[in-house]
């Protein structure tokens, strides 16, 4: 999952980047509204966390531009302006959720998870479930028939992405774009290694390889 | 204060009455004076004629009957005389059995003397010397017909005056009503302003009213911009305080601190207190309260957005409904009302099993807002306590929420009342009664 964080307060951004990294998200951080308006529209983010009081261009203006340009990425507004009038305005402009500062880090994680599930048509699930597997995002382990299997951070990220796109054909490049932030070296062989480890833990049939096209998640029932 | 219209009418009637009475009485008095002066000449001529009619006869002085007018012969004719000389008194036959008293001094007498058969007489006395004797001739003329015609004239003037007064007052009322029409329209516009149907007063008014209307509009704009500025400043302050607070909250949750659970718990507790206090006080400072801002709450325009937001925040297929008469506008600040309804509905949504409703209806004394949910509700004996604490109804549900605190602040600022009741849906009903603003909400 690749996230864009737009926040101009450096200490908070540092905290958020670190915290989100621990949650297995690849995070790009921007502090300027103009940069955000551009980069948010051309990079394939899975979710955007947007502060409203930004230098360069106000957050709402950035959001309006994204939506006018046809961007459908879920946007979570993170702001200290928490009156209902501002909240309504934010959601009318096209935000998908609104979290007011100060917030509990746990609350942010839950909102992000819920928003991602909702964006992939898996609403109303307390836990990510796809094709017979359950993913505990807090403990980063996967459950199958009541049995819990520990995952490494890299395996967890990869499996989460697969589970949010069940049955879809995903190329290595696509996976690399969504699993690593903009600064990391993207090596598709690393993905191959992690896919093989997941298969080792969960069984070969969980992820199917389509030669020359990519991978497809079939889950426990595949 | 007496209405301007009545004040103007009263003033006019008083002035007209005083002037009219003085004028009518004065002209009658002048006429009376002129008439008496004219009659004085006539009476003097009569006296002289009588003097001439006195001739020396065989038994001394006597009056030549041929020379005196017939009026002195006919009884009660209205023409009388009395001649005093030596110790004798001659009276005209017309006096009949009445005695005309001899006036004290010569000349026309000031007052009127009583004459026969209720006549009022104008008396003139002249003193002569003839035939070596002192003669005093008093001539009297009946003034009653003149008095009668004066009385009739006075009555006529009175009626005419009353009629004219009535006409003038009616005309004046009409004129004043026409002249005051812009004032009346300004009054209606101010009432509309207070009931929220209008944002500012019409600028198309007579020049006398222009400064007033301009000043009111200016004040409205000023209130609006002050409110906006202070809200903006509070927003910035909130931003400046809450962002570092968010960093602190995040730091307090760091894994490094989990080795010292005591320290972590105390940090988190203190931070939570700061957070609550900050939100409450900033929220309170944002309130427009009693101010009369331009932005009013248009139910049909605002409620759909609010409910969409609620549905998005509480993404669990709740049945959210609102109901308000079409075109209803509430005469309070838009943001305040959104804050009030947002907090209450948010609470209701947190507790509801499946249904939340909002009803807004105008009542005799103002507006009634009713929020119902089908959640667990609050036991009757606990409701009082919840209200007293102004406390968090939502303590047990995680996430944002100031509960009733800010709601109480808003309702208090508008002099409204808040009651917790049992909802027909099974859960809690919050009923808020907001008194209408201003003296006139027609």
């Amino acid at each position: 999952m690749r996230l864009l964080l737009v926040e101009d307060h450096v200490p908070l951004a540092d905290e958020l980047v670190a915290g989100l990294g621990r949650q297995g998200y690849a995070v790009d951080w921007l502090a300027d509204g103009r940069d955000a308006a551009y980069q948010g529209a051309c990079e394939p983010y899975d979710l955007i966390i947007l502060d409203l009081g930004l230098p360069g261009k106000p957050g709402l203006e950035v959001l309006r531009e994204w939506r006018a340009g046809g961007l459908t990425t879920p946007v979570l507004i993170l702001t200290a302006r928490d009156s209902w009038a501002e909240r309504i305005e934010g959601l009318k402009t096209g935000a998908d959720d609104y979290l007011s500062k100060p917030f509990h880090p746990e609350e942010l994680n839950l909102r992000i998870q819920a928003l991602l599930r909702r964006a992939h048509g898996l609403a109303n699930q307390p836990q990510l479930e796809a094709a017979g597997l359950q993913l505990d995002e807090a403990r980063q382990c996967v459950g199958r028939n009541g049995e819990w299997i520990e995952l490494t951070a890299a395996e967890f990220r990869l499996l989460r992405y697969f589970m949010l796109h069940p049955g879809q054909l995903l190329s290595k490049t696509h996976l690399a774009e969504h699993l690593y932030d903009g600064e990391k070296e993207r090596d598709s062989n690393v993905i191959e290694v992690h896919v093989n480890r997941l298969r080792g833990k969960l069984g070969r049939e969980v992820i199917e390889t389509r030669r020359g096209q990519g991978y497809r998640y079939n889950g426990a029932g595949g | 204060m007496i209405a301007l219209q009545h004040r103007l009418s009263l003033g006019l009637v008083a002035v007209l009455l005083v002037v009219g009475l003085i004028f009518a009485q004065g002209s009658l008095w002048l006429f009376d004076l002129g008439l008496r002066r004219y009659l004085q000449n006539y009476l003097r001529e009569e006296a002289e004629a009588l003097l001439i009619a006195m001739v020396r006869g065989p038994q001394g002085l006597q009056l030549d009957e041929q020379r005196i007018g017939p009026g002195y012969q006919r009884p009660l004719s209205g023409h009388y005389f009395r001649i005093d000389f030596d110790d004798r008194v001659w009276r005209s036959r017309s006096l009949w059995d009445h005695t005309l008293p001899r006036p004290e001094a010569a000349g026309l007498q000031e007052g009127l003397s009583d004459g026969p058969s209720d006549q009022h007489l104008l008396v003139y006395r002249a003193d002569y010397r003839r035939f070596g004797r002192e003669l005093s001739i008093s001539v009297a003329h009946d003034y009653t017909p003149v008095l009668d015609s004066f009385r009739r004239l006075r009555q006529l003037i009175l009626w005419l005056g009353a009629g004219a007064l009535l006409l003038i007052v009616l005309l004046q009322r009409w004129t004043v009503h026409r002249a005051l029409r812009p004032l009346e329209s300004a009054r209606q516009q101010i009432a509309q302003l207070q009931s929220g149907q209008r944002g500012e007063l019409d600028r198309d008014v007579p020049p006398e009213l222009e400064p007033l209307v301009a000043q009111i509009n200016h004040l409205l704009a000023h209130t609006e911009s002050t409110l906006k500025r202070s809200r903006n400043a509070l927003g910035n302050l909130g931003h400046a305080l809450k962002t570092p607070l968010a960093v602190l909250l995040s730091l307090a949750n760091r894994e490094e601190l989990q080795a010292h659970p005591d320290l972590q718990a105390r940090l988190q507790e203190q931070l939570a207190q700061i957070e609550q206090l900050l939100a409450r006080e900033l929220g309170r400072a944002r309130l427009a309260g009693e101010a009369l801002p331009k932005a009013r709450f248009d139910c049909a325009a605002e409620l759909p957005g609010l409910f969409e937001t609620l549905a998005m925040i509480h993404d669990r297929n709740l049945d959210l409904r609102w109901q308000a008469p079409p075109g209803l506008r509430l005469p309070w600040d838009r943001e305040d009302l959104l804050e009030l309804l947002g907090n209450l509905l948010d609470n209701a949504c947190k507790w509801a099993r499946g249904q939340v409703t909002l009803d807004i209806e105008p009542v005799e004394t103002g507006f009634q807002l009713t929020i119902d949910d089908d959640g667990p509700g609050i036991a009757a004996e606990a409701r009082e306590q919840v209200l007293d604490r102004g406390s968090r109804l939502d303590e047990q549900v995680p996430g944002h929420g100031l509960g009733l605190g800010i709601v109480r602040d808003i309702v208090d600022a508008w002099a409204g009342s808040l009651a917790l009741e049992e909802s027909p849906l099974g859960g809690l009903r919050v009923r808020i009664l907001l008194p209408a603003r201003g003296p006139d909400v027609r």
Side-chain angles (χ1 to χ4, degrees), chain A residues 9 11-12 15 22 51 80-85 87-88 91-92 95-96 100-105 118 124, chain B residues 235-236 239 242-243 245-247 249-251 253-254 275 286 309-310 312 315 335 338-339 342-343 346 400:
Chain A
H9 189 75
L12 181 61
E15 275 299 311
R22 281 195 294 276
D51 181 25
R81 299 178 188 274
D82 59 351
S83 81
W84 278 88
R87 208 178 287 206
I88 292 167
L91 294 177
K92 264 188 187 163
D96 297 85
S100 52
K101 294 177 189 170
F103 52 88
H104 211 270
R118 200 163 76 200
N124 295 321
Chain B
N236 291 339
H239 185 78
K242 284 173 179 175
T243 307
L245 199 55
V247 178
L249 268 178
S250 175
L251 286 175
N253 276 307
R254 274 278 182 88
E275 179 191 348
R286 287 180 61 86
T309 305
L310 285 163
M312 202 174 266
D315 185 24
E335 287 197 22
L338 280 178
E339 205 61 29
N343 278 301
D346 192 39
H400 164 274

Side-chain angles (χ1 to χ4, degrees), chain B residues 86-328:
Chain B
D86 294 345
D87 289 328
R88 298 168 60 189
V89 177
W90 288 348
R91 297 183 311 125
S92 65
R93 187 166 173 268
S94 55
L95 271 172
W96 211 239
D97 56 351
H98 188 81
T99 317
L100 183 68
R102 182 178 174 222
E104 305 274 319
L108 189 72
Q109 303 306 302
E110 275 294 307
L112 298 173
S113 310
D114 290 335
S117 67
D118 294 335
Q119 290 178 349
H120 296 277
L121 305 179
L122 193 64
V123 186
Y124 179 82
R125 174 184 145 187
D127 293 340
Y128 304 98
R129 193 175 170 81
R130 202 171 181 205
F131 310 120
R133 283 190 176 86
E134 298 286 337
L135 294 172
S136 167
I137 302 178
S138 303
V139 189
H141 187 80
D142 181 15
Y143 203 61
T144 320
V146 178
L147 285 181
D148 282 347
S149 65
F150 272 170
R151 199 170 296 125
R152 272 198 302 279
L153 195 63
R154 189 177 285 140
Q155 254 171 14
L156 190 69
I157 288 177
L158 215 62
W159 281 116
L160 277 177
L165 200 65
L166 192 70
L167 193 69
I168 288 172
V169 166
L170 285 179
L171 274 173
Q172 184 255 8
R173 285 189 80 94
W174 181 70
T175 322
V176 167
H177 183 74
R178 269 181 64 96
L180 291 185
R181 197 172 291 165
L183 267 187
E184 172 63 17
S185 99
R187 195 186 66 79
Q188 280 174 357
Q189 287 186 15
I190 288 175
Q192 288 172 347
L193 202 68
Q194 277 176 325
S195 64
Q197 291 157 10
R198 164 182 283 282
E200 61 168 25
L201 301 181
D202 254 341
R203 286 169 198 281
D204 185 20
V205 288
E208 290 90 336
L209 276 182
E210 239 164 48
L212 190 69
V213 166
Q215 190 61 31
I216 290 180
N217 281 341
H218 174 74
L219 273 176
L220 285 173
H222 180 71
T223 311
E224 180 80 1
S225 73
T226 309
L227 192 62
K228 204 176 268 175
R229 224 169 331 133
S230 84
R231 278 182 173 162
N232 202 27
L234 283 167
N236 291 339
L237 178 66
H239 185 78
L241 290 173
K242 284 173 179 175
T243 307
L245 199 55
V247 178
L248 285 176
L249 268 178
S250 175
L251 286 175
N253 276 307
R254 274 278 182 88
E255 277 174 25
E256 293 94 309
L257 272 175
Q258 294 190 349
H260 310 276
D262 259 16
L263 187 61
Q264 190 176 31
R266 280 170 66 185
L267 265 176
Q268 283 171 344
E269 185 193 331
Q270 294 303 312
L271 287 173
Q273 273 188 21
I274 296 178
E275 179 191 348
Q276 267 187 40
L277 212 71
L278 197 62
R280 173 86 193 265
E281 291 306 320
L282 284 178
R284 205 202 297 256
R286 287 180 61 86
L287 296 185
E290 274 288 283
L292 202 69
K294 276 186 181 176
R296 298 311 170 74
F297 192 84
D298 182 351
C299 290
E302 305 291 351
L303 289 178
L306 177 60
F307 274 76
E308 274 167 34
T309 305
L310 285 163
M312 202 174 266
I313 294 172
H314 301 277
D315 185 24
R316 52 191 185 98
N317 287 329
L318 288 174
D319 178 14
L320 305 175
R321 289 181 196 189
W322 61 272
Q323 194 186 317
L328 182 69

